[in-house]
Amino acid sequence: MLPCLPKNERIGCAARWVLVAWPCCILAPALPSAVGQCEIMKLVPDDGGPNFCFGLSVAVDGYDAAVGSPRTSQRGLAYVFEREGGAWSQAARFMGDGLYGLNDQFGQSVAISGNAMLVGAWSENTGGAVYAFRRHNGLWVREARFSAAETASGDRFGYSVALRGDVAVAGAPFRNAAYVFRWNGQAWTEQARLVAAGRVNTDAFGQPVALRGEEVVVGAPRHDAAGFNVGSAFVYERQRNGAWQQVAALTPAPAWPSSRFGAAIGLHAGVVAVGAPVGGSAFPAGATFVYERGGRGGWTQVAALSDPNAPGSSQIGVSVALDGGILLVGANQFREGAGPTTGAAYVFERRPAGWHAVARLTAHDGEDGDWFGAAVGLHGRLGLVGAWRDNPNGSRSGSAYLFATGPDDDGDGLMDACGCLGDLNGDWAVDSDDLSLLIASFGLALEGGPDLNADGVVDQHDLGIMLMRLGSVCP
């Protein structure tokens, strides 16, 4: 078995690139050739070391970031980072029971929602397990460890996890099943076993799972309904009687063999995004397909998103996260021209006319083989991108990067969330340090910086803006 199987500065840049959308199998016009990105911070664990594989899984909710570190030949770890003011710091570190000894793969998957967090350990006790943690009075404590009632050796239960409120979903791709659990105040109890009609044992059903409200989407990247290993994604809805029912089976158009459609899933408010990272004739670099639920409950493909300028095998769609009208897509094999294969992540925005690309994110210190984009998380204007093969603390020690993400309403090629009016020292908070910098420049003729209203001089108007913004935290 291969180890770690994949799954402080602001930067603005521009490059010549376009993306194409294929809504309902019709080629859309090329998008503007602009790239904007806004890196907030690089996260590494306090105790990082070689082969930690930190960043193989990531999740973000509010101002909490969860990162998995399954480690090679060791018991895995998972971490929580929290933001106070404008600063991010490590708040918790978790480890499983180690019932299978080393290589338990604890941290292969993570999910976080409010004060609760899940960590998957698909190799623990041979069949796999999921751990639940909860924050009480600011401290994270272990709450439970659970598996499905039928979990058996080799199932890989916990390979994927999703969490929303008191509902959790865990995938077991070698069992070709996913399971729904509910927290009753005392324990996580199994509520449903999800399977797909016509599945076979090699479909990898459950490799990714997504949960939102009363909907669950499960990917099966080796399902053959649309062709050999094309893949499928299955949509389930909770019925009034509490039962979960399959309501749709999604396949891509166009489809190509071995695309691994369903390798990554994003879900939010009647929109599903499905990654197909293995390229083919239509999309050599891979693609992500977007579906929307119609008024009568049917699902319709509305876009297929890719980058025609990206090299083949960029693996666009290897990871996917969706929140509101923003979509974050990983491409861990991307490289710029003949440069190193550092990886990238794309930001798309849903507009009235369809889905548009607004940014391509890269790490400021990216190196060949980092696999930046192997995992992505998104909540509001905050994006999190894993690079588990980065080497900040030795070979494959891993890292994760926080970005400001969101729309580009002013069309300047830089996401609007990258701006933080009044933040003069670049720490993503407007505080007394910024006020001091403005006062030191008071009366000077300047463009940008402390000239907050862009009238060419630092005066009482800029001071008024600064005082109104004092205490703000961005993004």
Side-chain angles (χ1 to χ4, degrees), residues 160-390:
S160 59
V161 292
L163 176 65
R164 184 64 55 178
D166 61 355
V167 178
V169 180
F174 277 36
R175 168 72 72 165
N176 275 286
Y179 304 85
V180 180
F181 294 81
R182 185 176 292 274
W183 174 250
N184 62 13
Q186 299 294 325
W188 287 92
T189 60
E190 186 175 333
Q191 301 290 301
R193 175 180 185 265
L194 308 180
V195 295
R199 77 192 192 287
V200 297
N201 290 336
T202 56
D203 285 347
F205 177 94
Q207 181 173 314
V209 295
L211 164 68
R212 181 72 66 158
E214 304 296 303
E215 292 177 332
V216 170
V217 182
V218 182
R222 299 189 183 279
H223 194 241
D224 294 335
F228 177 72
N229 278 355
V230 169
S232 300
F234 298 87
V235 183
Y236 299 82
E237 293 181 357
R238 187 172 183 269
Q239 308 301 301
R240 292 182 178 179
N241 63 2
W244 289 85
Q245 178 179 325
Q246 180 183 321
V247 296
L250 309 178
T251 54
W256 60 93
S258 300
S259 66
R260 295 191 68 238
F261 172 92
I265 304 286
L267 170 64
H268 184 88
V271 180
V272 174
V274 184
V278 179
S281 56
F283 299 108
T288 296
F289 295 80
V290 182
Y291 302 80
E292 294 183 1
R293 184 180 56 215
R296 296 185 178 181
W299 290 85
T300 302
Q301 180 180 314
V302 297
L305 307 172
S306 189
D307 181 356
N309 292 328
S313 302
S314 290
Q315 294 205 27
I316 295 174
V318 71
S319 57
V320 173
L322 179 66
D323 190 46
I326 300 297
L327 172 64
L328 184 59
V329 177
N332 64 341
Q333 297 294 300
F334 174 86
R335 71 177 187 275
E336 185 76 56
T341 304
T342 58
Y346 294 87
V347 181
F348 297 89
E349 174 193 2
R350 181 171 59 178
R351 299 176 182 171
W355 287 86
H356 292 256
V358 293
R360 186 179 66 226
L361 311 179
T362 55
H364 74 277
D365 59 350
E367 296 180 350
D368 188 62
D370 281 353
W371 285 36
F372 175 95
V376 296
L378 179 67
H379 187 263
R381 293 192 171 190
L382 190 64
L384 182 60
V385 183
W388 67 268
R389 290 179 56 159
D390 188 17

Side-chain angles (χ1 to χ4, degrees), residues 4 40 43-44 73 84 92 107 109 113 157 198 218 228 244 279 295 385 465:
C4 301
I40 298 172
L43 303 179
V44 294
S73 301
E84 292 235 357
S109 57
S113 176
F157 175 89
V218 182
F228 177 72
W244 289 85
V385 183
I465 295 172

Side-chain angles (χ1 to χ4, degrees), residues 8 39-45 53-59 65-68 79 81 88 363-365 370-373 375-377 383-392 397-403:
N8 298 343
E39 184 181 321
I40 298 172
M41 185 178 181
K42 179 177 181 175
L43 303 179
V44 294
C53 305
F54 176 89
L56 191 143
S57 60
V58 301
V67 185
Y79 300 83
F81 294 79
W88 286 84
H364 74 277
D365 59 350
D370 281 353
W371 285 36
F372 175 95
V376 296
L384 182 60
V385 183
W388 67 268
R389 290 179 56 159
D390 188 17
N391 306 312
S397 51
S399 60
Y401 297 79
L402 288 160
F403 288 86

